[in-house]
């Protein structure tokens, strides 16, 4: 065991591995590196380590990068893994093969690697790629786990494999997808994974690396279609969970699942401009949908949501069922609806839109069944709720402004009396009015931000932004008041010059949400 441990001498932090660059060229073996040491990284490192120890096509040593700031009690997690041969922080009790070596240096972990497995979220992978310094093999290939849909600023889906390939200088990147895989991989139960890969020889390598008696690997010829399908499957599982929650029959649930599969095929065709083939049903969609819809996290969460008639928040469900982890289908819903509406093709996906309205717009869960009566009821209910929300917004704005004016007048009078500003000379009253204006702005902002609309918790950055804006508004008000006085205009015009800024501050937290939604959806979700 000791020969696999990393010391701090010749192989210290950032030191090159003198044996790695020649591994593939001299011995003709593929060297594998795993980036990430959480649950997924540890489980895959174990599977890969067992495969490389038996297959002469691979170098038997598998290096797993552990972030240097990861600690377990009073020692570094990297040292703990190498000493105890298990990741007691994320997967306690799962013994790692002796040829799996944890390394806290990313450059050293991927040095000379020809096969790189990214077992970390896509955003984190994009941040750590520059730290690799291109120490991997020039002909290296990568594999990334699909963790959800990502969008550009113009509401277009971002494919993780494509973006990762660009960041890695054109490297071939494949994707790994599958439903509820981690428990089966850890406990060595039979499971199926799908790898999206365009190159046949690379697909064969990944298949040899991950296949075992308990893990079947199926190859999909399109990584983009596999990735998009995998991110849409949890949404179909939400629809199946709604069916379980409202107590519809098995035949109805089967019809809902079938419609979801058809919409997945349609999404692949319209968003990726690929032909509607059976690939999404046979290799990527079918096994994933069955796994998610019958016992998956998204389906169980949706069932609990429907049983509560939509009156429970998703955050509470995540705490109760998923230990705080996000429900994947809910996090993908808003992004997909934005993408479909941006492309003006949302009318092709009626079931996905219904799931979105049930999950996020408070539509009754029983409306998951596409009946004409349900559609008519929802249109009436939606219009009534939008009108009520609009009236609440207008009333909230009026109350907030009235409170702001009262605070301004009250603070001005109290401070003038307490400080006896008439005895303090010129400028004292203006200073008191400025302080009252700041208090009024803060009152309006607080009422709109937390009291009326109730958007988000109380964040320190919100208070900091309020302070910065008040300082800027105070400076602008004093300049405007001085300019108005110099041209013999009423001083009130100087303060009126910054009233739009005060109102803008109150609505600032709503601007970002409003820009990403239709007006009706915005009112239903925010008010």
């Amino acid at each position: 065991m000791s020969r696999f441990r990393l010391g701090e001498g010749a192989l210290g932090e950032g030191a090159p591995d003198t044996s790695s660059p020649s591994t593939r060229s001299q011995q003709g073996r593929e060297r594998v590196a795993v980036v990430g040491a959480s649950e997924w990284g540890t489980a895959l490192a174990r599977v890969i380590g067992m495969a490389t120890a038996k297959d002469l096509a691979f170098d038997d040593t598998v290096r797993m990068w552990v972030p240097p700031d990861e600690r377990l009690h009073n020692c570094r997690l990297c040292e703990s893994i190498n000493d105890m041969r298990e990741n007691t922080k994320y997967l306690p009790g799962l013994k790692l093969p002796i040829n799996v070596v944890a390394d806290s240096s990313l450059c050293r972990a991927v040095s000379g690697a020809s096969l790189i497995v990214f077992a970390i979220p896509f955003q984190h992978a994009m941040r750590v790629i520059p730290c690799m310094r291109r120490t991997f093999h020039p002909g290296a290939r990568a594999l990334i786990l699909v963790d959800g849909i990502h969008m550009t600023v113009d509401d277009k889906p971002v494919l993780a494999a494509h973006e990762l390939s660009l960041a890695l200088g054109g490297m071939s990147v494949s994707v790994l997808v599958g439903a509820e895989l981690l428990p089966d991989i850890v406990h060595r139960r039979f499971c199926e994974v799908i790898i999206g890969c365009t190159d046949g020889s690379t697909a064969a390598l990944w298949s040899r690396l991950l296949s075992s008696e308990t893990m079947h690997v199926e190859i999909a010829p399109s990584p983009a279609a596999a990735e998009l399908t995998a991110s849409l499957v949890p949404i179909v599982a939400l629809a199946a969970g709604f069916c379980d929650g409202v107590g519809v029959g098995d035949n109805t649930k089967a019809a809902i699942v079938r419609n979801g599969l058809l919409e997945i095929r349609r999404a692949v065709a319209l968003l990726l401009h690929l032909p509607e083939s059976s690939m999404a049903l046979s290799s990527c969609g079918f096994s994933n949908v069955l796994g998610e819809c019958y016992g998956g996290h998204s389906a169980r969460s949706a069932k609990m949501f429907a049983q509560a008639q939509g009156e429970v928040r998703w955050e509470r469900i995540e705490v109760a069922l998923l230990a705080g982890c996000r429900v994947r289908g809910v996090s993908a819903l808003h992004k997909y609806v934005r993408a479909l509406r941006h492309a003006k093709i949302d009318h092709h996906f009626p079931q996905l839109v219904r799931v979105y309205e049930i999950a996020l717009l408070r539509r009754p869960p029983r409306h998951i069944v596409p009946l004409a009566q349900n559609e008519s009821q929802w249109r009436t209910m939606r219009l009534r709720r939008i009108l009520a929300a609009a009236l609440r917004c207008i009333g909230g704005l009026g109350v907030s402004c009235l409170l702001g004016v009262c605070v301004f007048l009250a603070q001005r009078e109290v401070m003038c009396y307490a400080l006896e500003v008439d005895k303090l000379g010129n400028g004292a009253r203006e200073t008191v009015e400025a302080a009252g204006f700041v208090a009024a702005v803060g009152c309006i902002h607080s009422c709109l931000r937390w009291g009326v609309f109730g958007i988000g918790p109380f964040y320190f950055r919100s208070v900091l932004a309020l302070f910065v804006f008040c300082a800027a508004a105070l400076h602008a008000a004093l300049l405007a008041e001085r300019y108005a006085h110099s041209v013999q205009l009423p001083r009130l015009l100087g303060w009126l010059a910054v009233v739009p800024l005060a109102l803008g501050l109150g609505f600032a937290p709503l601007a970002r949400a409003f820009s990403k939604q239709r007006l009706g959806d915005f009112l239903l979700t925010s008010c």
Side-chain angles (χ1 to χ4, degrees):
M1 181 184 302
S2 59
R3 69 187 184 94
F4 289 100
R5 290 188 58 188
L6 295 177
E8 295 298 331
L11 290 181
E13 185 70 24
D17 188 348
T18 56
S19 62
S20 58
S22 60
T23 299
R24 190 181 179 192
S25 59
Q26 292 183 1
Q27 301 179 9
R29 296 183 178 183
E30 303 285 348
R31 181 171 183 179
V32 187
V34 178
V35 179
S38 60
E39 292 91 344
W40 265 109
T42 305
L44 288 180
R46 179 171 179 260
V47 172
I48 293 172
M50 296 172 63
T52 57
K54 301 175 182 178
D55 198 330
L56 296 179
F58 303 98
D59 186 272
D60 58 351
T61 302
V62 177
R63 293 187 180 272
M64 177 177 66
W65 175 63
V66 183
D69 57 346
E70 287 274 7
R71 304 189 67 85
L72 180 67
H73 304 305
N74 295 325
C75 66
R76 297 168 65 184
L77 182 61
C78 176
E79 298 174 356
S80 173
I81 293 175
N82 288 326
D83 289 338
M84 304 180 64
R85 306 310 311 160
E86 67 176 279
N87 190 339
T88 54
K89 181 176 182 179
Y90 293 106
L91 286 179
L94 184 70
K95 290 295 182 180
L96 294 174
I98 195 172
N99 61 330
V100 174
V101 181
D103 199 327
S104 60
S105 171
L106 181 59
C107 291
R108 188 170 55 226
V110 302
S111 177
S114 56
L115 296 174
I116 305 174
V117 179
F118 287 93
I120 54 179
F122 167 68
Q123 295 92 339
H124 191 194
M126 296 296 290
R127 288 195 297 267
V128 303
I129 283 176
C131 302
M132 293 181 177
R133 303 173 187 171
R134 296 192 178 274
T135 55
F136 45 80
H137 193 277
R141 288 141 290 183
L143 179 71
I144 186 171
L145 279 67
V146 174
D147 61 337
I149 185 66
H150 308 280
M151 293 290 175
T152 61
V153 292
D154 54 349
D155 293 334
K156 294 182 180 179
V158 175
L159 300 176
H162 176 70
E163 295 298 320
L164 204 66
S165 177
L166 295 178
L168 291 169
M171 180 188 298
S172 173
V173 179
S174 306
V175 297
L176 174 67
V177 300
E180 306 295 330
L181 288 175
L182 187 60
D184 294 332
I185 294 176
V186 171
H187 298 291
R188 295 182 62 80
R189 297 191 293 255
F190 182 80
C191 60
E192 181 186 54
V193 299
I194 298 102
I195 294 180
C197 183
T198 56
D199 181 64
S201 59
T202 303
L205 277 176
W206 292 123
S207 181
R208 289 177 63 178
L209 193 63
L210 296 175
S211 295
S212 65
E213 294 181 356
T214 58
M215 183 182 297
H216 172 67
V217 176
E218 187 174 353
I219 303 299
S222 172
E227 187 176 340
L228 188 65
T229 301
S231 58
L232 278 168
V233 164
I235 299 178
V236 181
L238 288 179
F242 292 148
C243 291
D244 293 334
V246 299
V248 300
D250 293 335
N251 191 281
T252 303
K253 180 179 177 179
I256 294 296
V257 173
R258 185 187 71 86
N259 288 337
L261 282 169
L262 295 178
E263 289 192 357
I264 289 177
R265 292 180 59 186
R266 202 170 300 132
V268 170
L270 296 178
L271 292 177
L272 300 180
H273 306 290
L274 296 176
E276 275 197 43
S277 64
S278 60
M279 186 273 295
L281 294 179
S282 62
S283 64
C284 291
F286 194 67
S287 60
N288 281 4
V289 168
L290 289 180
E292 287 278 3
C293 293
Y294 294 88
H297 291 169
S298 298
R300 289 190 286 115
S301 301
K303 180 180 179 180
M304 183 176 178
F305 181 85
Q307 288 174 340
Q309 298 298 320
E311 298 299 327
V312 60
R313 296 180 63 87
W314 287 105
E315 291 80 3
R316 295 183 59 185
I317 296 177
E318 291 167 353
V319 172
L321 294 181
L322 308 180
C325 297
R326 299 189 66 183
V327 181
R328 287 180 294 172
V330 176
S331 60
L333 264 176
H334 192 194
K335 299 176 183 178
Y336 267 115
V337 170
R338 278 168 40 202
L340 296 176
R341 287 176 174 173
H342 178 79
K344 298 180 180 180
I345 56 175
D346 54 308
H347 58 281
H348 292 293
F349 303 88
Q351 180 168 297
L352 188 149
V353 174
R354 278 201 308 277
V355 174
Y356 167 75
E357 292 171 344
I358 293 172
L360 299 177
L361 302 186
R362 299 191 298 169
R363 184 172 181 174
R366 67 178 185 276
H367 287 185
I368 189 61
V369 182
L371 300 178
Q373 179 183 3
N374 292 341
E375 298 300 324
S376 177
Q377 289 179 356
W378 170 240
R379 283 194 294 267
T380 304
M381 186 184 304
R382 177 186 173 90
L383 179 60
R384 186 165 58 246
R385 288 181 179 176
I386 289 176
L387 291 176
L391 291 176
R392 182 181 175 186
C393 288
I394 296 173
L397 176 61
V399 171
S400 300
C401 292
L402 180 61
L403 288 175
V405 172
C406 293
V407 169
F408 171 72
L409 296 175
Q411 177 159 326
R412 184 185 64 177
E413 296 301 323
V414 170
M415 292 186 68
C416 287
Y417 176 79
L419 298 176
E420 298 181 352
V421 293
D422 295 334
K423 301 179 181 180
L424 297 180
N426 296 332
R429 182 172 292 275
E430 286 78 2
T431 304
V432 170
E433 290 179 349
F437 173 76
V438 171
V441 170
C443 179
I444 294 175
H445 174 270
S446 299
C447 289
L448 292 176
R449 176 66 171 84
W450 298 294
V452 178
F453 296 101
I455 297 180
F458 187 91
Y459 288 119
F460 174 75
R461 62 176 178 266
S462 299
V463 180
L464 182 62
L466 174 63
F467 175 78
V468 173
F469 177 84
C470 286
L474 175 60
H475 181 68
L478 293 177
L479 291 179
E481 187 271 336
R482 187 177 305 169
Y483 177 77
H485 179 68
S486 64
V487 295
Q488 302 302 318
L489 291 177
R491 291 185 176 183
L492 181 61
L493 294 181
W495 294 109
L496 291 178
V498 294
V499 169
L501 295 179
L503 297 178
L505 173 67
F507 282 104
L510 310 177
R512 185 173 183 272
F514 177 69
S515 64
K516 300 298 183 181
Q517 293 177 290
R518 293 178 175 178
L519 178 60
D521 294 355
F522 169 76
L523 292 174
L524 288 176
T525 55
S526 300
C527 305

